[in-house]
């Protein structure tokens, strides 16, 4: 039987979603025992802003103080924003890259910081803690079916500059930023939600293009891995499951010290090629600290059981679980230490924020 301490450690590694607009009794129980590290909300979980605020309040209140709950969302702008009107709706971030080309980087960088802060203030007012919004992928492939205008720019240096300004805006609003999808999803021809993409470029190209924004933004508190095979680094395993990519490149070569979270393990790039139990153990040993399981509760319970069984038979797994749980808990305590002075609900969809969005929308 697994110990309560091990169950709590494993729980910090599980960042999960759920299907409906309200929590189930079992979800509340898991949160109350400290067996879930973070909740990610989607449009399916939101009916009104009043309901959303009530939900995020209940989620936070359900967690024990020693392991507070982080609440996350994908609020990028453009086609990936889970919260829409009457909140401010944001154009795609590639508009910032277009603005830089037309009017100069200084104006674009300043607007990126304004957008990040305004977007972050609305999220903070609604009860969120994390925004999976800094797309650090460089938009180098017009045929890319999944990144496209989600990226900040078509060149690595400009993508790094604008994503960094946006991230500093989020941080000013006391929202934790997450950069994605390491080591770069911008030049794939397949969508990792549906298939397992491969990038054939040599390391020289990866270092000159894909890695530039991640190197520049290595100060971000969270980075997300890509379910993409980078042949120059590991010809067999996708980045999420590869020790050569996560521990070798990200931790050791780039010196990243923050929390590393996987993209959703329910995506077909993982689900169709690796069993869940195999994938989560591989990902842990590769160096990932937390794992997204965005909808199915049965898979979340299977993931917890798989890590428990792996810990029972391997001291290396136990060490990695303890290391990653400590990193996640440290992130939480740092985030909540200041008392979380959330802005009033009146900032959500306010005239000032709509005007900032209009400036971005006006870029042609």
């Amino acid at each position: 039987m697994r110990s309560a301490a091990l169950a709590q450690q494993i729980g910090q590694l599980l960042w999960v979603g759920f299907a409906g607009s309200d929590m189930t009794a079992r979800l509340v129980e898991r949160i109350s025992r400290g067996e879930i590290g973070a909740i990610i909300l989607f449009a399916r979980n939101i009916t009104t802003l009043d309901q959303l605020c009530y939900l995020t309040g209940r989620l936070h209140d359900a967690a024990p103080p020693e392991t507070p709950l982080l609440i996350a969302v994908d609020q990028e702008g453009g086609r990936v924003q889970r919260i829409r009107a009457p909140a401010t709706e944001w154009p795609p971030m590639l508009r910032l890259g277009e603005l830089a080309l037309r009017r100069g980087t200084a104006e674009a960088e300043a607007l990126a910081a304004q957008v990040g802060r305004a977007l972050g203030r609305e999220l903070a007012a609604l009860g969120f803690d994390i925004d999976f919004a800094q797309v650090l992928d460089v938009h180098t492939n017009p045929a890319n079916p999944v990144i496209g205008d989600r990226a900040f720019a078509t060149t690595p240096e400009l993508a790094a500059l604008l994503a960094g300004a946006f991230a500093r805006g989020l941080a000013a609003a006391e929202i934790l930023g997450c950069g994605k999808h390491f080591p770069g999803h911008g030049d794939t021809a397949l969508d990792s939600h549906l298939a397992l993409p491969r990038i054939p470029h040599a390391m020289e190209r990866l270092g000159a293009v894909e890695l530039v924004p991640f190197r520049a933004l290595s100060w971000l508190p969270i980075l997300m891995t890509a379910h993409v095979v980078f042949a120059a680094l590991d010809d067999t395993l996708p980045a999420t499951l590869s020790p050569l990519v996560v521990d070798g490149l990200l931790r050791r070569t780039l010196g990243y010290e923050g929390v590393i979270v996987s993209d959703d393990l329910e995506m077909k790039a993982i689900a169709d090629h690796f069993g869940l139990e195999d994938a989560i153990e591989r990902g842990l040993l590769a160096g990932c600290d937390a794992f997204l399981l965005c909808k199915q509760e049965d898979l979340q319970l299977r993931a917890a059981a798989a890590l428990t069984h792996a810990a029972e038979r391997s001291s290396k797994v136990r060490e990695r679980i303890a290391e990653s749980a400590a990193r996640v808990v440290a992130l939480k305590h740092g985030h909540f230490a200041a008392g979380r002075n959330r802005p009033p609900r009146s900032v959500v969809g306010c005239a000032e924020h709509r005007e900032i969005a209009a400036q971005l929308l006006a870029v042609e």
Side-chain angles (χ1 to χ4, degrees), residues 167-236:
R168 288 190 293 275
L170 278 185
E174 299 186 40
I175 292 291
L176 296 168
C178 173
K180 59 188 186 184
H181 308 78
F182 184 84
H185 207 321
D187 198 23
T188 60
L190 296 174
D191 182 347
S192 53
H193 293 85
L194 306 174
L196 179 57
R198 294 177 63 87
I199 288 185
H201 301 313
M203 271 305 301
E204 291 77 12
R205 149 66 192 244
L206 295 177
V209 179
E210 277 78 9
L211 295 180
V212 170
F214 292 98
R215 189 181 296 114
L217 273 75
S218 61
W219 52 267
L220 280 170
I222 311 168
L223 289 179
M224 181 184 293
T225 61
H227 300 330
V228 176
V229 172
F230 292 81
L233 297 163
D234 189 326
D235 192 43
T236 304

Side-chain angles (χ1 to χ4, degrees), residues 129-149:
D129 306 292
I130 297 173
D131 190 9
F132 294 131
Q134 287 89 100
V135 174
L136 303 187
D137 309 310
V138 184
H139 181 37
T140 55
N141 183 355
N144 190 314
V146 66
I147 301 301
D149 63 3

Side-chain angles (χ1 to χ4, degrees), residues 56-345:
T56 56
R58 289 180 63 209
L59 285 166
H60 279 131
D61 290 346
E66 63 272 19
T67 53
L69 186 74
L70 295 169
I71 304 178
V73 68
D74 293 301
Q75 190 75 354
E76 298 175 10
R79 55 198 154 109
V80 181
Q81 50 188 323
R82 314 307 186 191
I83 307 158
R84 295 184 179 266
T88 304
E89 295 198 21
W90 302 95
M93 293 300 110
L94 191 60
R95 292 292 184 96
L96 289 164
E98 294 166 352
L99 176 64
L101 297 177
R102 286 163 174 75
R103 303 183 200 168
T105 57
E107 183 173 343
E109 184 178 14
L111 184 57
Q114 290 181 56
V115 170
R117 184 174 185 275
L119 190 156
R121 280 175 58 78
E122 295 200 14
L123 292 183
L126 294 169
F128 288 96
D129 306 292
I130 297 173
D131 190 9
F132 294 131
Q134 287 89 100
V135 174
L136 303 187
D137 309 310
V138 184
H139 181 37
T140 55
N141 183 355
N144 190 314
V146 66
I147 301 301
D149 63 3
R150 297 168 62 192
F152 281 81
T154 58
T155 61
E157 292 78 14
L158 186 56
L161 178 75
L162 298 176
F166 178 93
R168 288 190 293 275
L170 278 185
E174 299 186 40
I175 292 291
L176 296 168
C178 173
K180 59 188 186 184
H181 308 78
F182 184 84
H185 207 321
D187 198 23
T188 60
L190 296 174
D191 182 347
S192 53
H193 293 85
L194 306 174
L196 179 57
R198 294 177 63 87
I199 288 185
H201 301 313
M203 271 305 301
E204 291 77 12
R205 149 66 192 244
L206 295 177
V209 179
E210 277 78 9
L211 295 180
V212 170
F214 292 98
R215 189 181 296 114
L217 273 75
S218 61
W219 52 267
L220 280 170
I222 311 168
L223 289 179
M224 181 184 293
T225 61
H227 300 330
V228 176
V229 172
F230 292 81
L233 297 163
D234 189 326
D235 192 43
T236 304
L237 294 171
T240 299
L241 309 185
S242 172
L244 295 172
V245 176
V246 182
D247 183 61
L249 178 60
L250 184 51
R251 284 281 186 225
R252 298 180 187 276
T253 302
L254 299 186
Y256 184 65
E257 297 180 350
V259 169
I260 301 172
V261 61
S262 78
D263 209 341
D264 187 3
L265 294 186
E266 296 182 35
M267 291 162 60
K268 290 184 180 296
I270 297 296
D272 286 358
H273 297 268
F274 305 88
L276 173 66
E277 288 79 3
D278 181 41
I280 200 164
E281 183 175 350
R282 282 178 181 268
L284 178 73
L285 293 175
C288 289
D289 298 307
F291 300 90
L292 288 181
L293 290 154
C294 289
K295 188 173 184 180
Q296 299 182 58
E297 189 172 31
D298 63 322
L299 294 182
Q300 299 162 18
L301 297 173
R302 279 174 53 192
L307 289 175
T308 301
H309 296 152
E312 289 170 348
R313 67 175 185 270
S314 168
S315 61
K316 176 61 176 176
V317 170
R318 292 194 298 273
E319 291 169 5
R320 282 290 301 116
I321 289 171
E323 176 187 13
S324 290
R327 194 174 280 123
V328 171
V329 171
L331 174 74
K332 292 180 174 188
H333 284 282
H335 175 63
F336 290 108
R340 303 298 294 123
N341 297 314
R342 297 188 184 275
R345 271 278 303 277

